[in-house]
Amino acid sequence: MAYNQLKYRKNFGLLIAFVILVTVLFVLAMLFARRVIYNFVETEFNNRKVEVFDQSVQSFNEFFNEKIPEISYYQGFLDSVKAAEFVNDVIRKNAFVEKALFYDIEVTNADSIESGIRYNHLLIYPKRVVDFHLDRENRLVAERKLRSEGKEYDEDFNSMMLKFIAFLDRVNDSTTLSDNDIYRVFYTLNAGKVSYMNIPRVSDLLVYKNMMHSSEAPVVTYEHDLFMFSVNPQKIQIKNIAPNLYERIEVLPIVSGSVSDQRNYWETQLSMPGALSDYKLQYSSSEGFIYKEINRRFFPVSVGISIIYIILILIAYLIYRNAIINSKLFRLQYDFINNLTHEFKTPVSVIKIAGNNIQSAENLSQMEQQMYGKILDQEADKLNSLMNKLLSFAQIENKSIKPNKEEVDVMEFCEPIFDAIKLKYPDMHFTYHVDVQNNMVVDTTLLGSVFQNLIDNAYKYSEVNKRFLHVDVQQNKKNFIVKFTDRGIGINKKEFNSIFKKFYRVKNQFNQQGSIGLGLAFCKEIIDFMGGEIKVDSVQNEGTTFTLLLPLGPKKNKE
């Protein structure tokens, strides 16, 4: 049966389709993951600005909601000294507060010539106005202002008092001051300014209303405090809690341009509240900066996808490798059966022919009887040797037997083998050198098979004019070292790891027939079985050296 008819079927089409599908899915997964991360970063870029905004204006909110209301604790009895202490603490802790105007206010129903806000019988006017600010040496400076020095002071004061008087008209016995009333009446927010007047008790508000509408009310005077803080939003400290998203965050006038007019920039903004409303927080990042963040987040995802892809490709490779190995194994088994059949067929055919000749001959001479007997004996020995070799290999490989070790003199072991070489291969130039001090403790039958196989290979795989073999036997502290050196065709280094495998045959002109690929595998199994090691070193077209390392036996010197 031809080998081509028994060819191992390998369908790589499905495997190739699997690899292509996995690769396409890998590319699509990468693109999809990249797009998802891009969208996620884009969404986060637009959403996290609120967190940055809240953190950045937190100091202003604390100033507005917690620090300013402390003015009411004094109930109008702040003087210039205490006001200076209060303002000094505010300005030094809040860099965005540039200055503060302190109004020391009196509320009365007396007939006074003081100028202020008069409604019916009620007069509200500032006794003094003090401007607090830091000079160039960072010292707090207090400057007394006169009403005649500027219209700005009158406008701020008048605006606040008009709201206050309008609120007094609505006060009654059931009035309670809600948060909405407090922010609407006692706060005034203008661009860059926060004005605040201390909050009186409801009972005081009822008295003020009575003073305002009754001409018969007793004349009384009440003290109040009003502060006007000038704030600069551009001095608010930006707290960029997302530095991986925002390359630059600025406080800009709300009417200012946008970097989004430039290409390759991401930009978003948030308007600032209340007294900061003329300004905005503008967030901007270059595409290069954003892509670094996208790549940073994409990297672990891409690594995970790549690992899965590599695992799938590795599985495909293992399937391919398994198919190739099975194909080689199939061919090796086929060659083994084919060569084994040939090895058995030749002696069987000779035996059959000899038997037929004996059976058909009427009379056999003594010489013919001896010839046919010798032929039958030789061919039977070949069959027996081949079967013993196969059986021994199987037993050694399965470790179903134990080595029959015995102590033997090295020269006594080697000489019969070397003498047989000269008789069997008279055309081969053979030399040897033995230099040992200890006896061997080995299974002589198995080791003899190894020697014979390596000698046969040295003869078989050599050109006619290069049939040479040198056997060198030495020992060191641990091992006997036996080297078989020939000048044959050599072995390619790529095949060093394969020549000791079962059924493996080196392809060359000397190995077309008559080998079942068990010789060197048999040698390795025997040497390993006896606790030794076999090595090969070869140069093509120059020769090969097989080295056997056999463990030393008991330290008993030769006599």
Side-chain angles (χ1 to χ4, degrees), residues 34 36 46 70 135 157 192 218 224 245 258 340 346 410:
R34 176 82 177 186
V36 168
N46 291 320
E70 290 181 8
D135 61 12
F157 175 78
H224 277 276
L245 294 174
S258 171
L340 187 63
T346 300
V410 176

Side-chain angles (χ1 to χ4, degrees), residues 463-556:
E463 302 283 353
V464 175
N465 58 346
K466 291 184 178 181
R467 285 173 176 166
F468 168 87
L469 177 64
H470 177 74
V471 180
D472 184 39
V473 184
Q474 298 181 9
Q475 75 174 75
N476 57 23
K477 294 181 179 180
K478 295 183 179 179
N479 300 300
F480 288 104
I481 303 171
V482 186
K483 293 185 177 181
F484 295 80
T485 303
D486 64 46
R487 296 175 184 169
I489 61 174
I491 304 170
N492 192 315
K493 289 185 177 180
K494 295 180 180 178
E495 297 185 282
F496 282 4
N497 293 328
S498 301
I499 58 176
F500 296 109
K501 295 179 180 178
K502 290 186 299 183
F503 311 134
Y504 186 84
R505 298 191 305 154
V506 178
K507 294 181 180 180
N508 54 61
Q509 69 272 26
F510 298 91
N511 202 18
Q512 298 303 315
Q513 295 293 336
S515 173
I516 58 175
L518 286 178
L520 290 177
F522 185 55
C523 292
K524 179 172 173 55
E525 287 291 338
I526 290 174
I527 297 301
D528 290 345
F529 189 61
M530 292 191 295
E533 185 179 0
I534 183 169
K535 298 180 180 179
V536 63
D537 185 28
S538 181
V539 178
Q540 282 189 297
N541 301 320
E542 293 186 15
T544 302
T545 298
F546 284 95
T547 302
L548 307 181
L549 300 177
L550 299 169
L552 291 176
K555 294 184 179 180
K556 181 179 179 181

Side-chain angles (χ1 to χ4, degrees), residues 206-218:
L206 293 173
V207 171
Y208 297 161
K209 183 175 182 180
N210 184 54
M211 290 167 56
M212 183 170 60
H213 293 293
S214 174
S215 59
E216 298 179 357

Side-chain angles (χ1 to χ4, degrees), residues 258-530:
S258 171
V259 296
S260 61
D261 297 335
Q262 306 175 29
R263 301 184 65 181
N264 303 323
Y265 264 88
W266 287 24
E267 183 268 338
T268 186
Q269 60 186 27
L270 272 178
S271 298
M272 301 183 79
L276 313 176
S277 58
D278 281 354
Y279 286 80
K280 63 184 178 181
L281 273 186
Q282 182 164 287
Y283 311 76
S284 59
S285 298
S286 64
E287 283 191 351
F289 181 84
I290 291 295
Y291 286 152
K292 286 182 181 179
E293 175 63 13
I294 293 174
N295 293 336
R296 185 186 69 83
R297 300 188 185 194
F298 178 66
F299 177 74
V301 177
S302 64
V303 169
I305 296 174
S306 298
I307 290 174
I308 295 174
Y309 174 73
I310 291 172
I311 291 174
L312 294 176
I313 293 297
L314 182 60
I315 292 173
Y317 168 75
L318 293 176
I319 295 173
Y320 168 79
R321 180 172 174 269
N322 186 61
I324 295 298
I325 292 174
N326 288 341
S327 176
K328 290 181 179 179
L329 182 60
F330 175 81
R331 179 157 190 168
L332 289 173
Q333 291 173 337
Y334 174 78
D335 290 344
F336 169 72
I337 295 171
N338 189 38
N339 292 324
L340 187 63
T341 302
H342 175 79
E343 289 293 307
F344 274 104
K345 188 174 182 180
T346 300
V348 169
S349 298
V350 173
I351 291 172
K352 185 174 179 62
I353 292 171
N356 288 336
N357 288 340
I358 294 172
Q359 185 178 5
S360 61
E362 293 181 0
N363 295 311
L364 292 175
S365 64
Q366 186 177 359
M367 183 179 297
E368 288 176 331
Q369 289 178 358
Q370 291 177 350
M371 179 187 70
Y372 285 123
K374 184 178 181 180
I375 290 173
L376 292 173
D377 186 61
Q378 288 176 345
E379 298 305 319
D381 286 343
K382 287 183 181 179
L383 287 174
N384 185 59
S385 175
L386 183 58
M387 288 187 293
N388 286 337
K389 189 174 184 179
L390 292 172
L391 180 61
S392 297
F393 185 87
Q395 290 175 332
I396 292 171
E397 188 177 35
N398 295 325
K399 294 181 174 56
S400 58
I401 62 171
K402 294 182 179 181
N404 183 22
K405 291 185 178 182
E406 56 181 306
E407 185 176 354
V408 62
D409 182 86
V410 176
M411 280 305 302
E412 289 180 3
F413 170 77
C414 293
E415 279 183 347
I417 298 174
F418 295 160
D419 291 340
I421 293 174
K422 296 175 183 178
L423 294 174
K424 187 176 182 179
Y425 302 121
D427 57 336
M428 183 170 70
H429 180 69
F430 174 74
T431 60
Y432 66 88
H433 176 258
V434 178
D435 181 14
V436 296
Q437 292 78 42
N438 293 74
N439 293 333
M440 280 185 172
V441 179
V442 294
D443 187 317
T444 56
T445 303
L446 294 178
L447 185 58
S449 298
V450 174
F451 273 48
Q452 190 61 53
N453 193 86
L454 294 176
I455 292 167
D456 291 342
N457 283 351
Y459 183 85
K460 180 180 179 181
Y461 296 105
S462 297
E463 302 283 353
V464 175
N465 58 346
K466 291 184 178 181
R467 285 173 176 166
F468 168 87
L469 177 64
H470 177 74
V471 180
D472 184 39
V473 184
Q474 298 181 9
Q475 75 174 75
N476 57 23
K477 294 181 179 180
K478 295 183 179 179
N479 300 300
F480 288 104
I481 303 171
V482 186
K483 293 185 177 181
F484 295 80
T485 303
D486 64 46
R487 296 175 184 169
I489 61 174
I491 304 170
N492 192 315
K493 289 185 177 180
K494 295 180 180 178
E495 297 185 282
F496 282 4
N497 293 328
S498 301
I499 58 176
F500 296 109
K501 295 179 180 178
K502 290 186 299 183
F503 311 134
Y504 186 84
R505 298 191 305 154
V506 178
K507 294 181 180 180
N508 54 61
Q509 69 272 26
F510 298 91
N511 202 18
Q512 298 303 315
Q513 295 293 336
S515 173
I516 58 175
L518 286 178
L520 290 177
F522 185 55
C523 292
K524 179 172 173 55
E525 287 291 338
I526 290 174
I527 297 301
D528 290 345
F529 189 61
M530 292 191 295

